[in-house]
Amino acid sequence: MTKRGTVSTNNIILTFDSTDLPSEIRVGYVKVRVRPFVPAPMRCFRCQRFGHTKDNCRGRPTCSKCASQDHTDETCDSETPRCVNCGEGQTPHSAYDRSCPAYVKEKEIMTIKATRNLSFKEAREVYNQSHPKTSYAQKEALRRGEEERKAREARRARLVQKALEAKEASSADSASGTAATTAAARDACVEDTGRRLDIPVGAATDLRGSRAPRQAADAPELVTLGG
């Protein structure tokens, strides 16, 4: 049943006089599979809280869209939804949103109640045992820890970027210095001997000493040109 009437489905709700559900039942010549029925969480359309209906509500009327108690959802013009069942720091959503953490919690409790054949109180206790409450201090500690982790990752990324830039700058300076040294060696050779050497960049330029110029590992052979 809904506010607009009944809705046709392929499901039939049956009640068994037993604590254990059969896996299937026979309807005429057809075997029909049986599964537990999990009802939707009960939410009050007056105060938007879970666990009761508006006929038994003692709370103040609350807007289901923005959680305001100054108006109802029929006259709400807020552009930012807010749920009355969720605390601060919530992702913007309304009280009737099926992804609401409070709705998901109540739905899981109803599932435990139906599948384990427990009372609502027992099902809530089972849920609380598997989902321990987190205090505000613990939430703040988790939030600060997450922020510190992100800050460390950002610092590490900046250091890596600086190291790469420094390496590139060092390589560029080294190549520039080698080219300048080679040009100076050529000029010195022309001044002393009147002959010019075509010295490739990267080759050793110890031309004034008694030793022959050393070649870089990947440089071509030196070629002497007549003056």
Side-chain angles (χ1 to χ4, degrees):
M1 292 289 293
T2 65
K3 290 183 178 180
R4 298 181 180 179
T6 59
V7 177
S8 299
T9 67
N10 294 324
N11 299 319
I12 300 175
I13 300 177
L14 301 177
T15 302
F16 294 91
D17 188 15
S18 173
T19 56
D20 298 326
L21 292 180
S23 60
E24 59 184 21
I25 60 173
R26 184 176 293 275
V27 180
Y29 297 99
V30 180
K31 288 184 178 180
V32 181
R33 185 172 61 90
V34 176
R35 60 181 175 84
F37 169 69
V38 181
M42 184 185 300
R43 180 175 63 85
C44 175
F45 293 154
R46 175 183 169 89
C47 70
Q48 313 306 325
R49 302 290 183 176
F50 290 98
H52 65 275
T53 63
K54 66 178 182 179
D55 295 333
N56 300 319
C57 180
R58 297 180 180 180
R60 295 182 58 183
T62 304
C63 178
S64 61
K65 295 181 180 178
C66 68
S68 174
Q69 295 182 344
D70 298 330
H71 59 267
T72 60
D73 51 353
E74 287 83 1
T75 59
C76 180
D77 58 357
S78 176
E79 297 181 356
T80 303
R82 187 174 185 277
C83 178
V84 68
N85 296 301
C86 299
E88 298 297 332
Q90 62 176 279
T91 302
H93 65 276
S94 60
Y96 51 80
D97 193 333
R98 292 300 178 93
S99 62
C100 169
Y103 178 88
V104 173
K105 172 185 175 181
E106 294 297 322
K107 184 67 174 180
E108 187 169 347
I109 292 174
M110 296 300 293
T111 302
I112 295 173
K113 176 180 180 297
T115 56
R116 301 190 185 185
N117 195 25
L118 301 175
S119 66
F120 185 80
K121 181 179 179 181
E122 292 172 337
R124 184 174 292 277
E125 291 176 354
V126 171
Y127 177 88
N128 291 336
Q129 291 175 0
S130 59
H131 299 76
K133 291 183 178 181
T134 303
S135 65
Y136 178 78
Q138 291 173 328
K139 291 180 180 179
E140 282 296 305
L142 292 174
R143 183 184 62 80
R144 288 195 299 268
E146 182 65 15
E147 291 179 353
E148 291 176 357
R149 183 186 65 81
K150 292 180 179 180
R152 287 195 301 269
E153 291 180 353
R155 287 196 299 269
R156 187 179 299 111
R158 288 195 298 269
L159 290 175
V160 171
Q161 183 64 27
K162 288 182 179 180
L164 292 175
E165 292 176 355
K167 184 177 180 180
E168 292 176 357
S170 177
S171 299
D173 293 343
S174 176
S176 177
T178 301
T181 304
T182 303
R186 290 195 186 108
D187 295 340
C189 181
V190 171
E191 180 180 353
D192 292 346
T193 65
R195 310 179 76 179
R196 179 179 177 83
L197 294 179
D198 288 337
I199 304 175
V201 176
T205 56
D206 187 10
L207 302 179
R208 293 181 180 273
S210 58
R211 294 176 298 174
R214 293 180 290 107
Q215 295 177 229
D218 56 348
E221 293 182 0
L222 301 181
V223 180
T224 304
L225 300 179

